[in-house]
Amino acid sequence: MTGAGLEFGGLLRRLRLGASLTLEALAEASGVSVRGIGDLERGRVTTPQRRTVAALADGLRLSATERERLLTTARTGRTPRPQPTGLRAFPRGIDDFVGREAELARLTSLAAREAEGIPVVVAVSGPPGTGKTTLALRAAHELARRFPDGQLMFDLRGTDEDPPDAAELLLRVLKALGVADRDLGMAGPQGHAELCRRVLAERRCLLVLDNARDEAQIRPLLPGAGEGMVVVTSRRMLTGLESVHRLALGELSPAEAGALLTGLVGRERAEADPGALAEVAGHCGNLPLALRVAGNWLATRTGWTVRRLADRLALEEHRLDTLTAGDLHLSAAFNLSYRQLTPAAARMFRLLSLVDGPDAAAAGAAQLTGQSLFDAEDTLEELVETGLLNTDQDRYRFHDLLRLYARGRLRGEESPEVAAAARSALHRWLLENTVVAGRWYEPDHGAPPASWHGTVDLSTAEHARRWLQAEGANWLAALRAAAAGGDHARVVEVTEALHWFSDQWIFWGHWPEVFATAARSAQALDDPLLEATHLNYHAWALLVCEGRHHDSLARSAEALGAARRALDPVQQGWAHKYTAWAFRLLGDFAAAARHNREAATFFETADDLHGALQCRVEHDQLLVDGGLHEESVPEILDTLSFLDGVGDRIEPHIADFTRTNLRVLIGGAHTQLGNWAEAADHLRIAVELCRTSGNTAMESRALVHLGNSLLNAGHRAEARDAFSCCLALGTEADPTRLTEARDRLAELGEWPVGPATGNRQPATGTRQQVPNNG
């Protein structure tokens, strides 16, 4: 025992006796145990916590002067703690720290809870290169004053081939905390974990455990009591740890990435070509390590312009090789994680680089590897756990640079034949599922046949729609590959199955390409009926998706010629129908009416109810667009009655889509006539139909019409809600309707420009309730 310890113990004993208190009485008054008070008075414990001393002072009812004397004596008695890896000895890398404000704020908030007497443990995880260590260092620097008993950092070397185990780390931590060899020997290796927990519980320390390999390595180092804080960084998510706060890191924002690069290369060079600087950041995927490598490259090559590096990084096949500066190798950082994977996960990692789109689901990954769905899910989760794959709502995605690294591993470890076979298996599966999903929306098809057994749930039209949209980029790539490989029959089969579904996802952006590809395949098959069919689909896409009216007219004329060669009345009818549509949009109502009558005659001859119905809708639209609003209302109601009368002879999704069109149409007519209540009623029905079917493009159209009707009726608040609901629909809405909704909100003073970014923000953007106060 030290002299200082005896001094504090003696003072405490004198104050207790002076207050005529027994050990038991002081224990009851202060909340400190009898044994604890006795150990303090005898000098067996020389470093009481401040809160313990404060509790004793309260129990003794000391005056302010005596209280301060007791606290001062306690501080004097504390044994200095060696800090071999304290902040002054921490690695460099925090001076040019950029961004992570939200993460630092979270760590600061958590550190403030240390006074609650419960240790705070934070697990910081993220893919390689996201700056986990740098964040921990920055946080340690900013939080140091909260932890006067020490700030210690240990590199756990979790990516090494032979990282230190828990026993070795316990010994290192205990020695760093100043625990005497005698105490270590008395506790023995089996008691080091308990000793470490006890020492940490007695001190307000900040412990940074950097680069942890797994839960087993660090679990014995985590305190169960006290006022300390532990920050653990790891490439793994460490999901097995309990009672920890989690902080997942990703890439920086574009603004933060630009700021980091600017600090590394200098403001003059950065501002000389801000566009090139943004390209460098983009090619680095805004990944902190990649940005630092790129910045260091430029900083040491003063003769290089930022543009020169941007152009070099634009070459994907050389990007990872370029991102090397001295002993900083981006690929080496990735390799540390890759070599820790199980063989199955490593193979999955390589093969996932064959996915054409930005992400994939477990079922698609299973097709690549030949695993069962259950095994594929487990393998994917291993990749997520190790930080090599991101996940969101059952979709799995690479960081761009990790995708390039995976492609390199694929070339180095798999034969071209194996890679080609895996890609073909994925493409075949994608197109088979696309046909089954798309046919939910086609007449005379609907649900998958009983003989079909797939690995994805396509049991309802809604499930089919979600799958088609989630996998859009992937099945489009498979369709392109089929066309390039000369599998024209497969191309036209897939595209035919998507014909009516395209109305559910109008502004996806790729329908013109899809139907143009199918038209070329049909021509290659030398089948005039198929050619007419897909030329008509392409005419629709040009008209509706891109607004190219004259190009659409030319395409429908080609379709009409092919349909005549095929002697097919149905496709002749559709060619005239799309021609009528284009002329109406061009304002030539007479030509539009003439072609629509021709189309109706062909559909009647062929007994094609779906085509005939669309001709009736076109007729009603011509009346409205031509300004014949009074005349249009009974005609539209008659078409609605006709639609109700034919029952299930019309495919359900075509019926719903047509009802929506008609409700929007009659709502617009009533709006023009000043019948605000009637207009709002019809338009609300249209909105609900869209929401039921998931047709976002049509919903945006209905909401804007509803907002205009309510605005004209003087219901500004309800109109504002309708326009805000439209904006909340996002990128799948009709772009022209989004623009109109934004303009209307600006007129209402509900679309202010933010001072910092210039980006406009709606006053309300929820999609909670369709206005119901028309």
Side-chain angles (χ1 to χ4, degrees), residues 130-147:
T130 48
K132 299 177 291 296
T133 300
T134 305
L135 173 67
L137 287 170
R138 182 70 172 195
H141 177 77
E142 295 188 0
L143 301 176
R145 66 184 183 279
R146 295 180 178 271
F147 302 97

Side-chain angles (χ1 to χ4, degrees), residues 611-632:
L613 175 61
Q614 298 310 311
C615 283
R616 292 184 67 124
V617 176
E618 183 66 33
H619 167 73
D620 298 341
Q621 185 77 62
L622 276 166
L623 293 176
V624 174
D625 287 3
L628 303 175
H629 303 117
E630 287 277 8
E631 184 179 342
S632 71

Side-chain angles (χ1 to χ4, degrees), residues 196-282:
C196 185
R197 283 192 291 269
R198 188 167 68 247
V199 172
L200 288 174
E202 294 174 352
R203 305 181 189 181
R204 294 174 63 187
C205 289
L206 173 61
L207 193 62
V208 178
L209 304 176
D210 186 44
N211 192 16
R213 183 181 185 89
D214 53 30
E215 295 90 339
Q217 189 189 35
I218 61 170
R219 191 175 278 115
L221 300 172
L222 304 182
E227 299 178 349
M229 182 174 186
V230 180
V231 178
V232 183
T233 74
S234 178
R235 297 184 179 194
R236 293 180 175 271
M237 298 175 71
L238 303 176
T239 53
L241 293 181
E242 299 176 350
S243 301
V244 301
H245 304 275
R246 299 189 179 279
L247 195 59
L249 295 190
E251 59 265 24
L252 298 175
S253 70
E256 291 169 341
L260 178 56
L261 280 175
T262 298
L264 293 168
V265 307
R267 185 165 299 278
E268 183 177 352
R269 292 175 77 188
E271 293 180 349
D273 194 343
L277 192 81
E279 288 180 33
V280 170

Side-chain angles (χ1 to χ4, degrees), residues 733-751:
D734 183 341
T736 60
R737 303 303 174 183
L738 291 176
T739 299
E740 188 174 353
R742 193 174 294 115
D743 290 345
R744 291 289 183 271
L745 284 171
E747 293 167 6
L748 290 168
E750 300 287 349
W751 189 245

Side-chain angles (χ1 to χ4, degrees), residues 99-149:
R100 303 297 192 200
E101 285 86 359
E103 290 85 353
L104 284 171
R106 174 97 188 281
L107 288 168
T108 300
S109 174
L110 291 171
R113 299 173 58 179
E114 108 289 335
E116 298 175 5
I118 301 174
V120 176
V121 180
V122 186
V124 181
S125 62
T130 48
K132 299 177 291 296
T133 300
T134 305
L135 173 67
L137 287 170
R138 182 70 172 195
H141 177 77
E142 295 188 0
L143 301 176
R145 66 184 183 279
R146 295 180 178 271
F147 302 97
D149 292 337

Side-chain angles (χ1 to χ4, degrees), residues 471-658:
E471 296 285 356
N474 291 325
W475 64 251
L476 176 61
L479 188 74
R480 291 168 177 161
D487 192 355
H488 302 301
R490 176 64 61 88
V491 171
V492 296
E493 178 192 23
V494 171
T495 309
E496 177 63 41
L498 294 169
H499 167 219
W500 284 101
F501 169 74
S502 60
D503 279 325
Q504 306 292 320
W505 198 22
I506 295 173
F507 297 103
W508 173 41
H510 295 286
W511 294 120
E513 178 192 352
V514 168
F515 294 127
T517 300
R520 289 192 296 271
S521 286
Q523 290 168 345
L525 292 171
D526 195 23
D527 185 326
L529 178 55
L530 287 177
E531 183 179 350
T533 301
H534 293 281
L535 285 169
N536 270 325
Y537 296 164
H538 191 212
W540 170 87
L542 292 171
L543 188 66
V544 176
C545 303
E546 297 187 343
R548 294 162 56 185
H549 305 148
H550 292 287
D551 290 339
S552 177
L553 280 173
R555 210 59 166 158
S556 56
E558 291 181 55
L560 182 59
R564 285 171 176 166
R565 294 196 305 273
L567 304 176
D568 184 79
V570 173
Q571 290 307 318
Q572 290 183 69
W574 283 113
H576 282 293
K577 167 66 177 69
Y578 292 133
T579 300
W581 194 344
F583 275 126
R584 172 171 57 80
L585 294 177
L586 289 168
D588 191 341
F589 299 125
R594 184 174 67 254
H595 281 282
N596 196 50
R597 286 193 297 271
E598 289 273 7
T601 300
F602 278 112
F603 289 135
E604 182 179 354
T605 299
D607 193 25
D608 188 314
L609 191 57
H610 290 90
L613 175 61
Q614 298 310 311
C615 283
R616 292 184 67 124
V617 176
E618 183 66 33
H619 167 73
D620 298 341
Q621 185 77 62
L622 276 166
L623 293 176
V624 174
D625 287 3
L628 303 175
H629 303 117
E630 287 277 8
E631 184 179 342
S632 71
V633 171
E635 293 286 329
I636 298 170
L637 290 173
D638 186 56
T639 303
L640 280 167
S641 297
F642 171 79
L643 180 55
D644 292 338
V646 296
D648 58 6
R649 295 174 61 195
I650 298 291
E651 198 280 334
H653 299 92
I654 299 174
D656 288 344
F657 179 80
T658 305

